[in-house]
Amino acid sequence: MNKEQSGVLKAWEATVRKTHAAKKRANSIFGTITMANATDDDLENNNDKSDNISGEPYLVEKILPNGDYYTGQWYDNFPEGQGKYLWTDGCMYLGEWHRGKTMGKGRFSWPSGATYEGEFKSGYIDGIGIYTGPSGDTYKGQWVMNFKHGHGIRFYPNGDWYDGEWRRGLQEGLGKYQWQNENHYIGEWKNGMICGTGTFVWSNENKYDGQWEDGMPKGNGTYYWSDGSFYVGNWSKDPDEQNGTYYPSESSQAANLEWDPQTVYIELADCKICPSENVSIMPSQKVLAWYSAKTDDNPRRLSIDGRVSVGIERPDKMHMWESDDDSTDLTEVRRDLDSELLCVQVQHQHDDTNPKFNLELPLKVPQLGKRPGETISRGHKNYELMLNLQLGIRHSVGRPAPATSLDLKAAAFDPKEKIWTRFPAEGSKYTPPHQSCEFKWKDYCPVVFRALRKLFKVDPADYMISICGNGALRELSSPGKSGSFFYLTEDDRYMIKTMKKSEVKVFIRMLFAYYNHVRSFENTLVIKYYGLHCVKLTGPIQRKVRFIIMGNLLRSEYTIHRRFDLKGSSLGRITDKPESEIDSTTILKDLDLNFIFKLEKAWFEEFCWQIDRDCEFLEQERTMDYSLLVGIHFKEISANGEFVPCGRRSSSGNYENESTPPDMEEHFLDPKRWGTIKLGANMPAKVERTIRKPKSVFHLVGEQTGECYEVIMFFGIIDILQDYDITKRLEHAYKSIQYDPTSISAVDPKQYSKRFRDFIFKVFCEDT
C-alpha cells in the first residue's frame, strides 16, 4: 500500500469514527426525529443523488465536514422543509428550514438547558415564541431579529415578572412590573428603566403617582397613604430641589407630618429591575456548515467617512485661517455656480457599459481606496495648528470640573458662555510648555458639550487619547465644496471640520434645541457633535480658525463597499468620476443611486418615525442642505469579486456563500458586539437593484428589478448647519433661471424638509 492510499484510508477511518460519535451523541441527547414515511432503501438511494429529479425535498442524514450533524428533508444542496441540526458544541435546532436557513416554526436548545420554541425568519428568532432560560426564567411574546420587540411577558428567576411592551430587548412603552414582595409599578418605560408617567404601589397600599426619570420620581407627583392623606409636589433626589405640600386626612396619623419625601428614594433603591439575560449565542449567529466562510485576502481596515470626494475638485485654496469678515463675495458665488452648471451639461449620459444602466452587467466589488488623508507630521503647513488643537482639547477635557448633570440651566447655552485660555510657548500656571507658537484657545459653551459627551456615552480618557494621543491627525486631501477642511483621528473615530464664523453662529443659535432633541430622541439620526472650539494666533495678524468635532458615521470593522450622500435633489447630484475610477471611498450622490433600501418591518417603522422627528427639528431651526449619508457592506461576495444576489447559484450548482473575514465572524459570534446593532448602525438589511432607462436617467429613483442583496447598513443625517442665508438665496435665484427650481438643492427649509422626506421614503421601504 503506497503513502497516498494509506492517507486516504486514515481519512476514511477518521470520518467513520466522527460519524458514529455524532450519531450516538445526537440520539442519546435529543432522541430521534420523525420524518415523512421513507424506507431505508429510499434514503440510501436519495443520499447517492446530487440532485432530485422529481423537484421535491427528500430525506438525508449527513455528517458535515466540520463534525456537525443534520438529518431531515433536503433539496438543491440545502435543508428544505423539516429537519434537525446538531452542532458539535451541543446546540440543536429542530424545525422548519428554507434554503438552508431556519424559517418557520422550530425549537432551538442550548447546552446550558435554555430553549426557544416558536417562529424563525431567515435564521433569526422572529415572530411569536417562548424562551426558557437555564434558571427557569421565561419570556413569552413577540420577537424581531433576536430581540424581544412588541408585547411580551417575562418571568424572572427571583419571582419578579413584567407584562408589557418591549423594544430591542428592553422594556419600553407601557408595562407592569411586579416584585416578589408584591410591590408593583404600572406605567411608562424607556430603555429598560422606569421613565415617564406611572404609578408605584407598595405592598402596604401606599403609592406614588407622577413623573419618573431613570427609575426614580422626577418632576410633578403625588404620594398617597392608605389612610387617605397625600403629599403633592415637585420631586427630585436633590433635597434642595424637592418641594411640596402635605394634605392630611381626617383619620391620618400625626407621624405623617414629620415624613421626609427623601425616604421614598431609599425605599425604591431596594426595588431593582432584574437585568436582561446574557444569551451566549443566538441561533442566527451559529455557523452552518454549508455557509462556510471564505477568507479575505485583503487586510482588515477601518472604514472612514471620506467626505472629500463629494462634489467637484477645486484648487487648494487656503481658507483655513480667515478673518472675522463673513461678507459674501458675489463674484465668487457666481463663478462657482457657473462651474457647477457647466459640469451638469456634460454628465450622466446613458451608458450600456455601466451596471447602473445595464442589468446584464453584474455589480462588482469596488477597488479598495487608499486610506484618505495626509498624516500631519513635522514640516506640514498645518503641523502647528494640529499641536494647538491637541493642546487645547487636552486642556478642555482634562480640566477639573464638577459632576456633569444633564439638566442644564439656560445660562449654559448663552452665546457669551465661552472660556478663553492663553497658551504661551513657555507654559503658564494652567498650561504646559509646548513647541508651537503662542496662541489663544476658546471653548464655546463648555458645560453643554461636556453634557453632550456624557449623553453620547463618550469616555473623557478615550476621547483625549483618540484626538490627542501619539497618533497624528490626518488632513483630507482637499477641502469640500463649502471650503472647509476635514481632519481625521488616527483611529477614525472622530472627524474635525473647520467652520466659518457664520456656521458657528448658526450652531450656537440652535444649540439649545439640538441638545433637547438628541436628549429626547436617543435614536436620532442627526450627527453627534462633541465640541466647538477656536484657535487664535497672537500677534499682529490675529487670525482665527474655528472647528467642530463630530462622530464618524461610517467607522466600522466592515468594509464599506458603497457610500451615498442623498439629498433628494437632482441638479449636480452625480459624481464626476467614471465607473472605472470609483473605489470604496468614493461618495456617490442621488443620480448615482441604483438601489432601494429594504428594512425589516419594526426597523422601517422606527426609521420613518425618526426621520420625521429629525426633519421637523431641522425645519424649525431653519437649516437646509443637509443629507443622509449611507454606507453599505455587501455580505455575499463571489470568488470572482461580484456581489451575489439572494438565492443566486454559482456555476457549480451551490449557492454562493457569504465572504466573511475572520474578524467579522467574531462580530457575529460575540453577543456583546451583537448588541451594537441600532438604528443607523450595523443594521442587517437588503437592497434591491434598480436600473435607469434611457428616458429616465435624471429620475431620482430607478426601475426596480427584483434583484436583492443582503447587506449591513450605516446611515445618518449630516451637514445640518447651513442656514438659508443670502448666499443660498442667490444660488436658488441664479439656478432657477435655467433649471427647474424643484431640482435645485438650495431651497427654503420647509420645502427642503418635505422634498428630503419624500425622497428618503421612496428609496427606503419595508422588506415584505
Side-chain angles (χ1 to χ4, degrees), residues 227-229 247-253:
D227 61 8
S229 56
Y247 296 90
S249 65
E250 295 180 358
S251 59
S252 62
Q253 301 176 5

Side-chain angles (χ1 to χ4, degrees), residues 326-385:
D326 257 359
S327 59
T328 304
D329 187 341
L330 301 183
T331 303
E332 184 176 339
V333 170
R334 179 170 179 172
R335 184 172 61 250
D336 287 345
L337 296 180
D338 285 338
S339 173
E340 186 173 348
L341 296 177
L342 179 63
C343 178
V344 172
Q345 295 172 7
V346 298
Q347 65 187 352
H348 212 46
Q349 302 286 331
H350 188 275
D351 180 8
D352 284 333
T353 64
N354 189 326
K356 183 167 60 176
F357 304 106
N358 190 347
L359 185 60
E360 300 299 322
L361 297 177
L363 298 178
K364 294 189 175 182
V365 180
Q367 298 178 359
L368 281 178
K370 295 181 180 178
R371 195 179 191 194
E374 175 188 359
T375 301
I376 304 177
S377 55
R378 188 179 296 276
H380 191 282
K381 61 182 179 181
N382 290 322
Y383 179 70
E384 286 194 350
L385 173 65

Side-chain angles (χ1 to χ4, degrees), residues 440-541:
K440 286 186 177 180
W441 172 264
K442 182 196 289 187
D443 268 334
Y444 293 90
C445 301
V447 175
V448 177
F449 285 103
R450 194 179 301 121
L452 281 172
R453 292 193 291 271
K454 180 180 179 180
L455 185 66
F456 297 145
K457 297 178 174 59
V458 174
D459 181 76
D462 292 340
Y463 184 71
M464 284 195 291
I465 290 173
S466 290
I467 302 176
C468 314
N470 295 329
L473 301 179
R474 301 197 314 278
E475 181 181 77
L476 300 187
S477 57
S478 64
K481 184 177 177 181
S482 65
S484 298
F485 283 74
F486 290 86
Y487 299 89
L488 281 167
T489 57
E490 180 64 24
D491 59 5
D492 292 328
R493 189 178 297 274
Y494 302 103
M495 294 191 71
I496 301 169
K497 175 188 175 183
T498 61
M499 300 181 72
K500 296 178 181 178
K501 185 178 181 181
S502 58
E503 292 177 310
V504 173
K505 287 182 177 179
V506 170
F507 191 31
I508 293 297
R509 183 201 72 203
M510 63 184 289
L511 185 57
F512 180 78
Y514 174 82
Y515 179 82
N516 288 328
H517 182 78
V518 297
R519 187 182 180 190
S520 300
F521 303 104
E522 182 184 11
N523 292 321
T524 177
L525 297 174
V526 173
I527 191 166
K528 293 178 171 63
Y529 291 118
Y530 302 105
L532 181 62
H533 311 281
C534 176
V535 170
K536 179 180 179 181
L537 291 178
T538 58
I541 300 179

Side-chain angles (χ1 to χ4, degrees), residues 198-209:
T199 302
F200 189 101
V201 181
W202 281 263
S203 56
N204 61 6
E205 298 184 0
N206 291 352
K207 68 177 182 179
Y208 167 83
D209 184 12

